[in-house]
Amino acid sequence: MPNTLVIVESPAKARTIEKYLGKGYTVESSIGHIRDLPRSAAEIPERYKNEAWARLGLNVEDDFRPLYVVSADKKGHVAKLKKLAAAADELILATDDDREGESIAWHLLQELRPRGVVKRMVFHEITREAIQAAIANPREIDTNLVEAQEARRALDRLYGYEVSPVLWRKVAPKLSAGRVQSVATRLLVQREWERMRFVSGSWWDIEATCLTADGTSFPARLSELGGVRLAQGRDFDPATGRLKLDAGGKPATVVTLSEEQAKDLAAKLTGSRLTVASAEEKPFTQKPYPPFITSTLQQEGSRKLGFGAQRTMRAAQKLYEGGYITYMRTDSPNLSAEAMNAARSQVKAMYGDAYLSPQPRIYAAKSKNAQEAHEAIRPAGSSFRTPDSLRSELDSDGWRLYDLIWKRTVASQMADAKGRRMQVRLSGETPDGQKVLLNASGRAIDFPGFLRAYVEGSDDPNAALEDREVILPPLRVNERVTGEKMSPGGHETQPPARYTEASLVQGLEAQGIGRPSTYASIIGTIQDRGYAAKKGSALIPTWTAFATSALLEHHFGRLVDYDFTAKMEEDLDEIAGGRQSRVPYLRSFYLGDDGGMGIHPLIEAQMSAIDARAVATIDVPKLAGSGIEVRVGRYGPYLSRGEIKANIPAELAPDELTLPLATDLLSRPSGDHPIGTDPESGLPVIGKAGRFGPYVQLGDTNPPTRTASLFPGDDLNTLTLERALKLLTLPRLVGTSEGQEVWALNGKFGPYLKRGSDSRSISSHEGLFTIDIPGAEEAFRQPRFKGRGSAVAGPLKTFEYPDRTAILLRSGRFGPYLTDGERNATLRKGEESGAELTDADARSILEERGKEPQKKVGAKKAPPKSAVTKSAGARKPASKSKAPARKAAATSLVSREPGGMAIHSALKSAKPLAKKAPVKKTAALKAPAKAALSWADLKPFLGVLSEQERSLVTATREQGRKVEDVAPGLGLDVKKAKGMALQASKKLNQAFREKGA
C-alpha cells in the first residue's frame, strides 16, 4: 500500500482530517509558515552576511529575489517533515485555499524537496465528504497566488524597513510602520481629532403623552413652533457648537428653545386639545442579511457576543479545524447549492413553509476583488447540525459563535419580514395663540419572516421583535386627542463615537483596505505597537499615534492615503489573477517609474526636511493660547511650558486632556523635592520625579551617593524623611545562604532576591525590609520558569491540556502570560485578565504565539558569578580570568536580554580607546565573562550618564539596535559612538560598585 504524507497548517486540523483518511495516510502539521524573510541579523545565513541587501531580505538589484530562512524554532520540525517526506511515496499539500495557504504549500515543496508524487489538495470544510472529494480531485500549486503572496510579503517588508527607521529617528525608538497598520492608525487618530475639536451644542424639546377619546395613550414629540421647525442635533456645527450656516452664511431657520422657554411652553400645552392633522400608513419589506463573511462575522461577534476580532477568529479557527464550519477567511457571501438546500430544509422543518423564501436566495460579494475562499462562513456539511445538538461538544465561545453562524445562514434563506410604518401629525396652539405641531411615529410587524430566527445586533429575536414595534392607536384626520402630559427635556450633541474593533473593521472594509485574513492581526498589531489602547470596547489612539500619523501624512502622504492603500490591494489581486507581474510592480513601488517617485527615493528626499520637534509637538485645541504644548519624546508623551515639564498619565485619553488638567499636571513636583537631611552622613535627602518614575537620592552630587525608587504606594508629595531613609537602605543584605550572599532588591519589574546568579521575585515590596534567610531559602526552593522570572507566586489559573503538561496563567514582567514550562505566550491587551479564557483558548494561544524563552548570552560557558561584598563595595571574581582586560570590560556589559550583544560588538572594535584608557585598574572590569551585569542590574544607574550616553545605551541595550545604526540619530560618528559606549560601561560598573552591589 502506498505511503501518503498529508501536510496541513495546524495540529488541530491534522487531528480532524486524520479521522477521515484510511490506512496508508500520515497527517502532519507545518505549524504555520515554515520559513520567512530573516527577522534579525542572527537569522541571516553565513554566506549572505556580507551582502548589503541581506538584512532587508530582498535583493533589490536581482529582481527583488527573496532570502527565505527557516526560523530557529522551526528547524527541528522541518527536519522531521523532511524525513517523513523522504519516506513517502506521495505528498499531499492540504493547506488552506487562499494566498497564505498556497504560499505555505509552495514553501513546503521548496524546502522538503520530496522524491515522490506531489499533489495540491483544497477544501473549504473539514467533513468526510469534503476531504474525500478533495483527495479525488487534486490540482497543481497556483503560482499566481504564490506570486501575489510573495509580492505582499515583499511589499510589507519594503514598507516597514524603509519607513520604520524614519520613525525611530524622528519620533521615538521601537516604533514601526506598516502598509495597513499605519492607515488603520490614521483612521483612529482622525476620529480622535474630531472628538478633540468637537464643541457641544445644546437644545431643549418637549415629549408629550397623548390620550385618545377612549383613553389609549401614545407618545409624540413637539416638532414645530409658530410654523418653524425645532432645532435637532443635526442642526449644530460640531466644530463650534453653534447652529450650522446655510449657503448664504446665515444660521439655519430653526427654533432653539432654552430651558426656561421649554418649561414655560410645556406648562402651557399640558392638557391642551390637539387635532390629528394627518395620519399615514405605509407598508415596508425587509430582506434577510447575507451569510457571514470574515468582516461581518467579526462585527457581529463584537456587537452580539462582546468578542474582540482576535477572539472571534480564534473561536472560528477552532470550529473550522473541528469540522463544524466552513473556512472562516472569506469575503464571498455566496452559498453553495448544497448549503442552500441544507438551510432551506431546516427552515421548512423548524419554522414551516410560510417562513421559507419562495426562491433560493443568491448573494453576491460587494467587493469587486472578492477572493480568498469561495463560499460564505456557514455550518459545515450537507445537513447542518443545530446549535442545541452541539452544546456538549463545544466550549462556550465556540458554541456561541456557531449559534450565530447557524442562525445567520438559516435566516439568509427565509422569507422577507413585512410590516407597516405609521406617521401621525398633531396640530394645536398655546393659550397665547402660537401654533404648534407634534409628530408621532409607529411601526408594526405583520409577518416577522427571517426576523423570527435572526435580528442583527440582538441575542434574542423574540425580544428584539417586540422592541421594534411601537404600535399607534388607529387615528383619523380631524380626530381630537388630549396632550395629557408635557415633559421638557434638554439635549446635547455628542462627539463622534470612537472606533471599536467591529467598526474599525467595517471602516477598513469600506475603504477597500486589508483582506479577511488580515483584520484581526491589524488590530492586534496597532495595540501591541503602542498606537492604540482599549478602554471598554473603544480603541483609543495614543499620543505616539498622533506623532507618527502627523509625520506620515505631512511628508509621505501617499503612503497613508486610503485610495493608494486600497489600490495596492487591487494590484495584489491583479497579480493573483495573473494579470500583472510581481517584479515590475515591486520595482515601481520601491524605486518609482514615470507615474511617480518610489518609496526609497521619496524617503531619501524627505528625510532632511522632517523637523523632529515639529512632528513630536501636538497642538491640542483645548490648550490653544495657554503656552502649554503636548510633545512625544523618547520616553513617552509629556506636557511642556517653558522649562517646566510633566509626564502625561498613560490612562488619560487625548480628548480628555483639558487646560485645567494640564495646568494641574504641570504644577506637580517634577524637579528637586527636598525631604530632609540624613542624620548619619549629614547629606541632603532629595526626592525626584524621573523618566522611570519617582525616586529619592542621598546627596546632591552627580552621581549621588545612593538612589532608591519609590514603591507603588508611595507619594513624592507626602514622603517623609523616615520613609526616604528606609528606601535608601536598599539593596539590603539579607544574609548568607549556600556560601553566597543573598540580597533584597527593588528592580524595574518589582521586588526580588538575588543569590549569586540566581534570583526570585517576592510578592511584596515591603517584604524587602523584613524577609530573612529562612524565607529567602524557601523562595529559592520554588521552581523558576525559563525566561519569566520567579514562580514564587502561584498560577493565576490552570488550563487542562490533554496528554500534555497543564498550561498555567502567570503574572510576569510584561503582564499576564501562558506557559507550559517549555513555551511562553504573552497575553495581548484585549486578553489581559485571562479570566475569561477557556482551556481551548489557552491551548490555541500557546500553539499560535508560544515561543521558547530566549537563551541567555554566554550563560553556559562562563564560570559562576562572584559573591557580592558590601563592605568592600566591589565584586570579587569566583575564579581568576586570563582573558584580556579589554575583553573583560566589554563582556561585563553584555546583557542576558535581547540586544545585549550590541554594546559588546561595539566595544570589541573600540581598540584605540581601550589602549588610551587601560581598564585593568578598575576592579569591576576585571570580572570574568560570567560576571556580566544584566540590563535590569544596570538600568537604575543610568543617572550617572550624560543625556547622550543614556540615549546610546538605552537604544543598544533595551532596543537591540547596533551602535552604527544609533549614532547618526545622536549626531555622532560611529567611532565616537563606540568610544562613548566604552566610557559608559566604565561609569555604570563604577556606579554599581559604589552602590554596594
Side-chain angles (χ1 to χ4, degrees):
M1 179 180 289
N3 175 20
T4 301
L5 174 63
V6 180
I7 302 181
V8 296
E9 295 100 319
S10 74
K13 188 175 177 183
R15 288 192 293 270
T16 307
I17 290 176
E18 199 165 29
K19 296 186 300 185
Y20 303 133
L21 297 175
K23 291 182 180 180
Y25 288 92
T26 301
V27 185
E28 273 293 336
S29 163
S30 68
I31 317 179
H33 279 277
I34 60 166
R35 63 180 195 172
D36 194 7
L37 303 177
R39 292 171 294 182
S40 66
E43 288 191 348
I44 299 173
E46 195 63 38
R47 64 182 182 276
Y48 293 110
K49 283 191 181 293
N50 294 326
E51 299 287 348
W53 56 268
R55 185 69 192 273
L56 179 63
L58 296 165
N59 190 342
V60 175
E61 296 179 358
D62 186 12
D63 288 341
F64 296 86
R65 178 170 56 86
L67 172 60
Y68 290 121
V69 296
V70 177
S71 59
D73 59 337
K74 287 289 182 74
K75 286 183 177 178
H77 190 65
V78 170
K80 175 186 174 182
L81 293 178
K82 282 184 176 180
K83 186 176 180 180
L84 291 171
D89 301 312
E90 183 180 61
L91 172 63
I92 296 180
L93 300 170
T95 50
D96 292 335
D97 185 21
D98 57 13
R99 289 182 200 159
E100 203 78 19
E102 208 72 16
S103 175
I104 293 173
W106 181 79
H107 280 288
L108 284 166
L109 183 60
Q110 298 298 309
E111 190 66 28
L112 302 185
R113 300 190 179 280
R115 292 177 298 178
V117 177
V118 178
K119 296 178 180 178
R120 176 78 170 101
M121 157 181 156
V122 294
F123 45 86
H124 303 113
E125 59 184 359
I126 305 176
T127 60
R128 187 179 301 278
E129 296 82 358
I131 297 303
Q132 290 175 348
I135 287 280
N137 297 281
R139 65 168 173 79
E140 297 294 321
I141 288 178
D142 188 331
T143 54
N144 288 332
L145 287 182
V146 176
E147 281 273 295
Q149 173 60 18
E150 284 199 285
R152 185 202 66 78
R153 188 68 188 94
L155 205 60
D156 289 343
R157 175 57 66 98
L158 294 170
Y159 191 114
Y161 272 46
E162 288 287 339
V163 182
S164 296
V166 180
L167 302 183
W168 302 342
R169 292 178 59 180
K170 301 297 184 177
V171 182
K174 298 170 66 174
L175 297 179
S176 72
R179 180 175 59 90
V180 180
Q181 81 176 51
S182 295
V183 176
T185 300
R186 183 188 175 198
L187 278 172
L188 297 182
V189 169
Q190 286 188 327
R191 179 59 54 86
E192 196 71 9
W193 270 121
E194 292 174 15
R195 292 176 62 87
M196 291 163 67
R197 296 188 181 106
F198 178 80
V199 180
S200 181
S202 60
W203 78 97
W204 282 71
D205 66 3
I206 296 172
E207 187 173 343
T209 301
C210 301
L211 290 179
T212 61
D214 62 2
T216 303
S217 66
F218 63 94
R221 189 176 292 275
L222 182 66
S223 59
E224 290 183 15
L225 180 63
V228 181
R229 181 173 62 82
L230 257 65
Q232 297 179 0
R234 65 175 182 269
D235 297 312
F236 292 87
D237 187 338
T240 64
R242 301 189 183 96
L243 290 172
K244 292 178 180 177
L245 303 179
D246 60 20
K250 296 181 180 180
T253 306
V254 291
V255 176
T256 307
L257 294 179
S258 65
E259 180 179 2
E260 184 180 353
Q261 290 172 324
K263 289 180 178 179
D264 179 59
L265 185 58
K268 290 177 180 178
L269 289 175
T270 299
S272 62
R273 301 290 288 173
L274 303 171
T275 303
V276 177
S278 65
E280 296 180 356
E281 187 175 279
K282 293 181 179 179
F284 73 85
T285 299
Q286 184 176 351
K287 296 183 180 297
Y289 314 101
F292 280 129
I293 58 176
T294 304
S295 59
T296 54
L297 178 66
Q298 291 173 2
Q299 291 164 39
E300 277 294 85
S302 176
R303 283 194 293 253
K304 281 198 171 194
L305 308 179
F307 290 1
Q310 290 175 331
R311 186 176 174 185
T312 296
M313 293 309 290
R314 191 164 59 245
Q317 179 86 34
K318 287 187 287 187
L319 288 173
Y320 168 65
E321 291 173 348
Y324 296 102
I325 64 171
T326 52
Y327 190 52
M328 67 290 162
R329 293 188 181 95
T330 173
D331 48 13
S332 170
N334 181 49
L335 288 177
S336 65
E338 175 187 73
M340 278 193 285
N341 291 335
R344 293 176 67 81
S345 296
Q346 285 199 327
V347 171
K348 190 172 181 179
M350 299 182 70
Y351 298 100
D353 290 339
Y355 283 86
L356 183 64
S357 170
Q359 300 295 330
R361 294 186 184 273
I362 298 173
Y363 298 91
K366 293 181 180 179
S367 169
K368 66 178 181 180
N369 296 309
Q371 43 93 30
E372 307 287 356
H374 308 294
E375 196 175 357
I377 304 169
R378 62 164 178 88
S382 55
S383 61
F384 300 161
R385 286 173 283 184
T386 62
D388 286 343
S389 69
L390 297 176
R391 279 188 183 274
S392 61
E393 291 186 35
L394 301 175
D395 60 26
S396 175
D397 282 8
W399 186 86
R400 293 174 68 192
L401 195 66
Y402 181 85
D403 181 61
L404 198 64
I405 293 167
W406 180 87
K407 286 178 177 176
R408 179 97 165 204
T409 307
V410 169
S412 72
Q413 296 300 316
M414 292 178 71
D416 296 341
K418 296 180 180 179
R420 291 164 289 126
R421 291 189 180 92
M422 295 153 280
Q423 188 73 33
V424 175
R425 294 162 68 87
L426 306 171
S427 63
E429 62 180 42
T430 62
D432 55 6
Q434 255 189 324
K435 300 278 187 186
V436 296
L437 194 67
L438 291 84
N439 280 348
S441 57
R443 172 186 169 107
I445 306 293
D446 296 325
F447 176 68
F450 76 94
L451 294 174
R452 182 60 66 199
Y454 185 89
V455 179
E456 196 170 57
S458 173
D459 281 324
D460 186 347
N462 290 324
L465 283 174
E466 294 175 7
D467 291 342
R468 286 179 170 226
E469 289 195 320
V470 179
I471 307 297
L472 294 180
L475 295 169
R476 299 180 303 278
V477 175
N478 296 326
E479 184 176 345
R480 305 295 293 272
V481 299
T482 304
E484 181 69 16
K485 183 180 178 182
M486 299 287 169
S487 303
H491 306 276
E492 287 190 345
T493 54
Q494 299 298 313
R498 288 191 180 97
Y499 282 105
T500 62
E501 290 193 12
S503 60
L504 182 58
V505 168
Q506 193 172 23
L508 290 169
E509 186 183 38
Q511 298 280 359
I513 297 168
R515 281 295 179 260
S517 59
T518 64
Y519 291 131
S521 62
I522 291 167
I523 292 170
T525 298
I526 60 177
Q527 292 179 76
D528 292 343
R529 302 296 188 194
Y531 292 128
K534 250 185 142 178
K535 191 173 184 180
S537 61
L539 289 169
I540 304 174
T542 61
W543 292 110
T544 302
F546 277 75
T548 56
S549 284
L551 186 153
L552 294 175
E553 283 186 64
H554 295 157
H555 298 280
F556 310 105
R558 189 167 65 111
L559 298 183
V560 288
D561 179 75
Y562 301 134
D563 292 338
F564 176 75
T565 308
K567 178 66 167 55
M568 282 196 280
E569 299 288 1
E570 294 175 6
D571 291 336
L572 292 174
D573 290 336
E574 290 294 298
I575 296 172
R579 297 177 293 276
Q580 191 170 159
S581 298
R582 174 179 63 90
V583 173
Y585 176 69
L586 290 177
R587 186 177 294 116
S588 170
F589 173 79
Y590 188 67
L591 299 173
D593 54 19
D594 295 339
M597 187 180 290
I599 187 173
H600 183 66
L602 176 65
I603 287 174
E604 287 188 335
Q606 287 290 314
M607 181 65 82
S608 59
I610 300 172
D611 184 342
R613 183 183 178 88
V615 165
T617 302
I618 301 162
D619 296 322
V620 178
K622 294 175 184 176
L623 304 182
S626 67
I628 300 175
E629 294 179 326
V630 172
R631 290 184 188 158
V632 176
R634 288 184 169 269
Y635 305 102
Y638 63 96
L639 294 167
S640 174
R641 183 171 55 193
E643 296 299 317
I644 303 174
K645 296 178 175 60
N647 293 328
I648 299 176
E651 65 275 7
L652 185 69
D655 79 327
E656 295 171 357
L657 181 62
T658 61
L659 181 56
L661 183 54
T663 304
D664 178 58
L665 289 171
L666 286 166
S667 68
R668 298 175 187 176
S670 57
D672 291 357
H673 185 63
I675 297 174
T677 302
D678 176 21
E680 185 176 329
S681 65
L683 295 174
V685 179
I686 304 168
K688 289 179 174 287
R691 286 196 176 107
F692 304 107
Y695 66 98
V696 290
Q697 70 177 41
L698 180 64
D700 54 5
T701 58
N702 186 17
T705 305
R706 297 180 75 85
T707 61
S709 297
L710 269 60
F711 289 176
D714 293 323
D715 186 346
L716 199 57
N717 293 304
T718 59
L719 195 70
T720 64
L721 177 61
E722 180 184 9
R723 178 64 174 173
L725 291 173
K726 188 174 183 179
L727 292 171
L728 286 166
T729 63
L730 298 175
R732 180 176 75 90
L733 178 63
V734 179
T736 303
S737 171
E738 297 184 0
Q740 293 181 305
E741 291 177 343
V742 178
W743 289 84
L745 305 98
N746 182 27
K748 177 183 177 182
F749 306 109
Y752 70 101
L753 300 171
K754 193 169 185 67
R755 182 178 64 187
S757 62
D758 204 2
S759 64
R760 291 290 187 277
S761 294
I762 60 176
S763 58
S764 165
H765 281 82
E766 296 300 328
L768 293 173
F769 302 120
T770 59
I771 195 165
D772 54 14
I773 283 297
E777 289 178 337
E778 175 59 30
F780 280 107
R781 277 194 290 270
Q782 301 299 320
R784 177 177 181 175
F785 281 82
K786 294 182 286 185
R788 289 291 185 167
S790 164
V792 173
L796 304 176
K797 193 173 180 180
T798 301
F799 303 95
E800 294 302 320
Y801 204 155
D803 303 324
R804 295 185 62 171
T805 305
I807 299 172
L808 304 181
L809 174 66
R810 290 189 175 277
S811 178
R813 292 179 175 184
F814 309 106
Y817 69 97
L818 296 169
T819 181
D820 61 1
E822 296 296 328
R823 296 171 297 169
N824 300 326
T826 301
L827 296 187
R828 290 174 173 152
K829 293 184 179 180
E831 307 159 342
E832 272 179 356
S833 69
E836 295 182 358
L837 292 180
T838 64
D839 293 347
D841 289 337
R843 294 195 293 270
S844 176
I845 292 173
L846 201 62
E847 286 184 0
E848 177 188 340
R849 305 202 294 264
K851 296 180 180 178
E852 293 184 8
Q854 285 190 310
K855 294 181 180 179
K856 300 179 180 180
V857 177
K860 291 183 179 179
K861 296 182 181 179
K865 273 193 176 181
S866 60
V868 178
T869 307
K870 185 176 182 181
S871 59
R875 287 183 178 269
K876 295 181 180 179
S879 61
K880 293 182 180 180
S881 172
K882 296 182 180 179
R886 184 179 62 80
K887 183 176 180 180
T891 311
S892 69
L893 259 181
V894 177
S895 168
R896 306 240 177 129
E897 300 175 18
M901 288 302 294
I903 284 186
H904 189 178
S905 300
L907 299 182
K908 284 171 67 178
S909 60
K911 294 179 181 178
L913 288 167
K915 290 177 181 177
K916 292 179 182 177
V919 295
K920 57 185 178 181
K921 294 180 181 179
T922 307
L925 300 183
K926 291 182 181 179
K930 182 61 179 178
L933 304 182
S934 72
W935 181 234
D937 290 329
L938 295 175
K939 199 165 185 178
F941 302 95
L942 289 176
V944 304
L945 304 179
S946 68
E947 182 72 27
Q948 210 167 39
E949 288 171 337
R950 273 201 303 273
S951 298
L952 175 64
V953 172
T954 301
T956 53
R957 293 298 298 276
E958 191 168 74
Q959 300 156 24
R961 297 169 62 195
K962 293 183 177 180
V963 172
E964 50 265 40
D965 294 334
V966 176
L970 299 175
L972 301 170
D973 59 50
V974 175
K975 184 176 179 181
K976 185 175 181 180
K978 291 180 178 180
M980 185 178 289
L982 181 61
Q983 297 304 316
S985 75
K986 292 182 181 181
K987 288 183 182 181
L988 290 171
N989 276 278
Q990 182 71 17
F992 192 87
R993 287 195 354 260
E994 290 178 354
K995 183 80 174 184

